[in-house]
Amino acid sequence: MIDLRDYSTFKIGGTTSHVFSLHNEKDTIEASDYAEKENKRLIIIGEGSNTIFSDNTDTFVIGHMNMKGINLIEDTKTTILTASAGEIWDNIVVHSINAGLSGIEALSGIPGTVGAAPIQNIGAYGSEVADTLISVSVYNRKNKSFESLTKEQCEFSYRDSIFKKHPEQYIILGISLRLSTSTPSLPSYASLKFDPEKEITGLYIREVVLATRANKLPDYKLIPNCGSFFKNPFVDVETFKKIQEKYPNIPHFETPSGLIKLFAGWLIEQADCKTLESKNIGFYENNKLVLFNKGDANFDELTHVIQTTQNRVKEIFGVDIEPEPNLY
Ligand code: FAD
Ligand code: NAP
């Protein structure tokens, strides 16, 4: 049996007897057909940095995405970068910066593969992959066909996409991004401290982003975690006003949709959720939005911490917070 803890950076989960290593389109069809024939779920895994397995995984088939390749295609004022799904996301950020291209430098240091990037429309410091994405090539398991989805067809929104709405239907094989040859724009997040004396380059933005992230995030190779554990919630103005009456300093952001974005990390900190941590599941000291496995956690223990945290935040603020990692 294969231990699925090795396929998740949270390092919990059960076992399975079937892991397919996907190197090309033929492997992809084989894994998909096998799962269908055996009436089993096919879960595609990249680095497992946003995936947590339960103990009940023995009927799963895992497709470990290993398709490689990065290409640059010059256009007039832009360059198209294509990358296969098994490439490491941060490597394509480095590749683009080294080629003098801008557009994804603020997404430096996000763990995981290229193929997983469109799933939750990865984002950081006001950038998201949808900003530069042109298309996603997929194997559509429902139609049994290879297709190219345009950015519009991907239905991207905040940490969301069509791939989350139709889980397990699409196997992402690669993406193409339109990058610019112009000077990158400086991300405006207050947590990033830029030196006004310095020339703005992709490399400089990357350095500041990586240094800032290192202060607030545990290295998952040393401390098993899946990054931010809860998504930021959005509430209507009326709900927000009620909360603000009680908590005048509540950080918030108005969004074009009219909804107000609240910060899950702040809600968790204010609700003193650290007191809810258990023997093997902790809230990371520098960033309470990050749950981590102290070493010997299991899915039941994690589920308990998730639920008590959600209940506490609901009780105090009347707001629902949802886990960001994909729980299987
Ligand atoms: P996995 O965990 O392997 O998979 C994630 C989901 O995508 C699963 O549902 C899986 O089935 C599916 N999937 C993966 N590959 C494919 C494919 N080829 N085809 C179809 N489905 C697929 N996220 C952010 O958005 N911003 C951040 O700043 C950020 N920071 C993080 C920091 C840390 C320390 C950690 C641990 C995580 C962070 N994350 C962040 C979350 C995570 O890095 C991203 O979600 C990343 O895209 C996951 O990539 P992965 O290859 O590890 O995906
Ligand atoms: P931060 O910069 O301290 O910001 C705290 C929170 O405020 C974040 O949730 C962020 O929302 C929000 N925020 C700050 N400035 C904002 C602005 N100008 N407009 C809108 N929202 C704003 O956050 P951090 O914890 O150090 O993380 C830095 C960035 O990396 C964030 O973008 C975060 O999403 C990303 N990150 C994500 C993960 C993950 O696993 N998903 C893990 C680590 C870091 P947003 O989260 O929407 O940006």
Side-chain angles (χ1 to χ4, degrees):
M1 291 301 263
I2 298 144
D3 192 340
L4 288 183
R5 284 180 296 188
D6 296 337
Y7 290 86
S8 162
T9 62
F10 211 88
K11 297 282 174 220
I12 62 173
T15 57
T16 182
S17 51
H18 278 94
V19 175
F20 284 77
S21 185
L22 311 181
H23 296 273
N24 51 45
E25 295 182 349
K26 187 170 155 274
D27 295 345
T28 306
I29 297 175
E30 248 173 54
S32 178
D33 287 353
Y34 174 82
E36 190 181 314
K37 188 166 76 62
E38 297 290 320
N39 204 13
K40 292 181 169 185
R41 286 177 75 180
L42 173 64
I43 314 292
I44 306 298
I45 282 294
E47 265 202 306
S49 64
N50 216 15
T51 299
I52 300 177
F53 292 108
S54 68
D55 300 324
N56 305 318
T57 55
D58 36 331
T59 58
F60 290 1
V61 174
I62 302 296
H64 188 212
M65 180 47 74
N66 281 304
M67 290 170 71
K68 301 286 182 193
I70 306 178
N71 275 300
L72 292 177
I73 306 155
E74 307 258 328
D75 214 338
T76 35
K77 281 192 187 132
T78 58
T79 296
I80 297 170
L81 183 150
T82 63
S84 298
E87 290 288 344
I88 295 300
W89 168 262
D90 200 46
N91 288 348
I92 75 159
V93 177
V94 172
H95 198 89
S96 76
I97 291 173
N98 288 346
L101 299 168
S102 61
I104 52 175
E105 55 287 334
L107 303 178
S108 287
I110 299 182
T113 52
V114 161
I119 304 278
Q120 71 158 4
N121 182 18
I122 54 165
Y125 303 111
S127 282
E128 51 187 27
V129 70
D131 297 340
T132 51
L133 191 131
I134 307 170
S135 62
V136 177
S137 57
V138 296
Y139 178 64
N140 183 338
R141 297 186 66 210
K142 199 167 152 202
N143 303 345
K144 291 189 187 294
S145 60
F146 290 96
E147 297 170 6
S148 173
L149 303 185
T150 61
K151 173 178 165 166
E152 288 67 34
Q153 287 172 317
C154 292
E155 297 176 16
F156 288 121
S157 59
Y158 184 74
R159 306 290 193 267
D160 201 10
S161 72
I162 191 170
F163 308 109
K164 295 213 87 166
K165 291 175 198 128
H166 301 279
E168 295 158 47
Q169 180 178 340
Y170 298 99
I171 301 178
I172 295 180
L173 308 174
I175 64 173
S176 61
L177 304 177
R178 187 176 297 285
L179 301 175
S180 168
T181 47
S182 317
T183 308
S185 19
L186 214 53
S188 62
Y189 268 39
S191 53
L192 294 177
K193 309 283 180 228
F194 293 104
D195 179 348
E197 306 281 298
K198 290 252 189 179
E199 188 195 348
I200 297 162
T201 62
L203 187 60
Y204 177 52
I205 293 174
R206 176 176 172 79
E207 281 167 4
V208 174
V209 166
L210 291 184
T212 310
R213 291 179 68 97
N215 271 330
K216 287 184 94 173
L217 288 165
D219 178 349
Y220 68 83
K221 289 176 184 141
L222 306 173
I223 301 176
N225 76 90
C226 273
S228 304
F229 206 92
F230 294 96
K231 287 187 268 192
N232 285 330
F234 292 74
V235 296
D236 59 38
V237 175
E238 207 182 313
T239 310
F240 173 68
K241 290 215 162 118
K242 276 192 205 141
I243 307 173
Q244 199 186 30
E245 268 173 32
K246 224 166 148 198
Y247 301 93
N249 298 328
I250 183 168
H252 62 280
F253 241 84
E254 285 166 30
T255 66
S257 68
L259 293 174
I260 311 287
K261 175 174 144 190
L262 303 178
F263 302 151
W266 187 89
L267 300 174
I268 286 171
E269 178 101 46
Q270 287 296 306
D272 208 11
C273 292
K274 182 141 174 74
T275 56
L276 300 173
E277 73 175 30
S278 62
K279 185 163 168 253
N280 294 299
I281 300 286
F283 288 81
Y284 189 57
E285 194 50 45
N286 294 358
N287 183 351
K288 304 291 186 308
L289 193 50
V290 176
L291 292 184
F292 68 96
N293 177 356
K294 296 181 194 170
D296 210 11
N298 63 32
F299 194 71
D300 284 347
E301 192 178 342
L302 174 64
T303 307
H304 180 74
V305 174
I306 295 172
Q307 277 168 0
T308 50
T309 302
Q310 287 174 315
N311 293 346
R312 171 82 64 88
V313 168
K314 178 82 176 178
E315 199 180 287
I316 296 184
F317 299 103
V319 173
D320 292 309
I321 52 169
E322 293 302 324
E324 183 183 287
N326 304 278
L327 308 175
Y328 292 102

